[in-house]
Amino acid sequence: MTAPSITIKDVAALAGVSPATASRVLSGNPATSADSRQKVAAAVTELDFHPNAQARALRSTRTNVIGLLVSDVRNPFFADLAHAAEQAALAEGLVTLLGNANESIPQQDRYLDTFISQRVDGIIAAPQGEGSSSLRALLEREIPTVFVDRTVDGIDVPSVTTDSDAGIRQAVEHLARQGHERVGYIAGPQTTSTGRDRLKSFARAAGEFGLSTDPALTYFGDFQSASGSAGAHHLLGLAQPPTALLAADSPMAVGALATLNRKGLRIGRDMALVAFDDIEWFSLLDPPLTVISHDVEAMGRTAVRLLLEVIDGQKPASVVLPSELIVRASSGTPDASLGQP
């Protein structure tokens, strides 16, 4: 008989694979290599391992479906994130149900409730707000959950986020060296972790590199393009307007760019512009846009890996990915006449 101390972790160790891979092999998941199946089968035989009936029954209830909730499907960053996660999940034999929160807590909760009712195996979510009842229901029901891009204070689940501080600091230092003193910042909503963290990073870097800390230079947007347009319009209307703008995400940068174009300002000459997030066509603009870049593909893949580990009963550590400044022609030296009363 199998010794009570023999577990799937012992099988995985002997086979030289991860517990998640061993679990998928034993549950008959087709998303496993022939080599892994052979190694696991040999380890099972050597250890005389027999999964107990309860564990087998639990595995049989799996749907091989996960829920993926993004903040705004129109945002190219989240579109790329969804694609990366969906492809990574598909490679593991999982189908993805996609939900679009549209930066709205009620819409988020409607999708989360649907994911729960559909009995998905787990959920990857870019959460809205500071912790709705539906988000907390995931914990109460012990549904495997991973947060991506954003986190919520008081909800302890594995997450994949970006170290925004490094890229923002590089951007502020670059603008300061270009001679900019008044930099307008179009911030994201302060109800999100990314909105708060990026604003703190900008304020800290502005003080460090001698930029103006005038609070009028910060406009609070909502991570959508219309607020970027409104933010640029507001900041350009100040008695002492900025000579550069930094937008906290790509849709707000697009909105700001539209306003600058409508006003006939030359990007990189009359007004510098930097965007957080790099999207494919930013490098194709004339002039190409300076950006704070981070690896959205790695974020999607890592979120799926962490979720599979949670589903298999593990407690993976959260992952923080780097960000970096990519300098292009949009962040030039300010015109000497700009910003004068």
Side-chain angles (χ1 to χ4, degrees), residues 35-82:
D35 183 58
S36 294
R37 292 193 293 271
Q38 183 178 3
K39 290 178 178 179
V40 171
V44 166
T45 299
E46 182 173 339
L47 295 173
D48 191 25
F49 174 74
H50 299 283
N52 63 55
Q54 183 180 18
R56 191 180 299 276
L58 287 173
R59 278 198 301 275
S60 69
T61 65
R62 290 189 181 177
T63 61
N64 290 327
V65 176
I66 64 170
L68 172 62
L69 179 78
V70 298
S71 296
D72 187 350
V73 74
R74 298 169 300 177
N75 184 330
F77 168 79
F78 284 112
D80 289 343
L81 175 64

Side-chain angles (χ1 to χ4, degrees), residues 159-236:
S159 62
V160 190
T161 56
T162 296
D163 174 17
S164 301
D165 190 74
I168 288 177
R169 186 180 185 280
Q170 291 170 18
V172 170
E173 180 180 16
H174 165 68
L175 291 171
R177 288 184 174 180
Q178 290 292 94
H180 296 279
E181 297 179 358
R182 291 180 64 80
V183 175
Y185 183 70
I186 304 176
Q190 299 304 288
T191 55
T192 66
S193 61
T194 48
R196 294 191 299 271
D197 292 345
R198 291 175 188 177
L199 176 58
K200 289 177 183 176
S201 294
F202 174 77
R204 185 163 51 244
E208 179 179 352
F209 292 105
L211 300 187
S212 172
T213 56
D214 182 355
L217 288 171
T218 297
Y219 179 90
F220 292 95
D222 61 6
F223 282 148
Q224 296 184 326
S225 61
S227 69
S229 180
H233 181 80
H234 170 80
L235 292 168
L236 292 173

Side-chain angles (χ1 to χ4, degrees), residues 105 128-132 135-136 152-153 155 190-192 196:
I105 292 176
Q128 311 302 302
E130 300 177 8
S132 67
L135 273 176
R136 298 186 184 279
V152 176
D153 291 342
I155 297 184
Q190 299 304 288
T191 55
T192 66
R196 294 191 299 271

Side-chain angles (χ1 to χ4, degrees), residues 66-341:
I66 64 170
L68 172 62
L69 179 78
V70 298
S71 296
D72 187 350
V73 74
R74 298 169 300 177
N75 184 330
F77 168 79
F78 284 112
D80 289 343
L81 175 64
H83 180 265
E86 181 265 342
Q87 290 295 298
L90 196 62
E92 297 289 347
L94 301 172
V95 173
T96 302
L97 297 181
L98 177 64
N100 171 39
N102 203 38
E103 298 289 357
S104 162
I105 292 176
Q107 189 160 316
Q108 163 194 263
D109 290 354
R110 184 173 180 181
Y111 273 110
L112 290 178
D113 292 343
T114 299
F115 290 161
I116 293 172
S117 67
Q118 292 294 316
R119 303 183 64 82
V120 296
D121 291 340
I123 294 173
I124 297 171
Q128 311 302 302
E130 300 177 8
S132 67
S133 59
S134 293
L135 273 176
R136 298 186 184 279
L138 302 181
L139 301 183
E140 295 170 1
R141 294 170 178 265
E142 299 184 342
I143 296 173
T145 301
V146 168
F147 285 160
V148 64
D149 185 59
R150 305 174 180 181
T151 59
V152 176
D153 291 342
I155 297 184
D156 184 19
V157 300
S159 62
V160 190
T161 56
T162 296
D163 174 17
S164 301
D165 190 74
I168 288 177
R169 186 180 185 280
Q170 291 170 18
V172 170
E173 180 180 16
H174 165 68
L175 291 171
R177 288 184 174 180
Q178 290 292 94
H180 296 279
E181 297 179 358
R182 291 180 64 80
V183 175
Y185 183 70
I186 304 176
Q190 299 304 288
T191 55
T192 66
S193 61
T194 48
R196 294 191 299 271
D197 292 345
R198 291 175 188 177
L199 176 58
K200 289 177 183 176
S201 294
F202 174 77
R204 185 163 51 244
E208 179 179 352
F209 292 105
L211 300 187
S212 172
T213 56
D214 182 355
L217 288 171
T218 297
Y219 179 90
F220 292 95
D222 61 6
F223 282 148
Q224 296 184 326
S225 61
S227 69
S229 180
H233 181 80
H234 170 80
L235 292 168
L236 292 173
L238 296 176
Q240 287 186 289
T243 59
L245 297 177
L246 197 165
D249 82 336
S250 56
M252 294 194 302
V254 170
L257 181 63
T259 292
L260 297 178
N261 285 334
R262 283 195 299 270
K263 290 180 175 292
L265 296 175
R266 297 166 297 174
I267 309 300
R269 297 181 65 184
D270 299 328
M271 180 66 62
L273 179 62
V274 178
F276 200 106
D277 294 338
D278 193 12
I279 58 180
E280 186 176 2
W281 57 269
F282 275 175
S283 64
L284 305 177
L285 294 174
D286 183 19
L289 202 61
T290 295
V291 297
I292 299 167
S293 177
H294 52 135
D295 194 340
V296 64
E297 292 284 332
M299 181 172 284
R301 293 193 305 269
T302 302
V304 171
R305 175 177 63 79
L306 294 185
L307 183 62
L308 286 171
E309 292 177 6
V310 176
I311 290 171
D312 286 325
Q314 301 179 59
K315 296 181 178 180
S318 293
V319 175
V320 179
L321 301 173
S323 66
E324 64 175 347
L325 181 71
I326 299 177
V327 176
R328 299 178 182 136
S330 73
S331 54
T333 304
D335 188 304
S337 66
L338 214 69
Q340 300 299 318

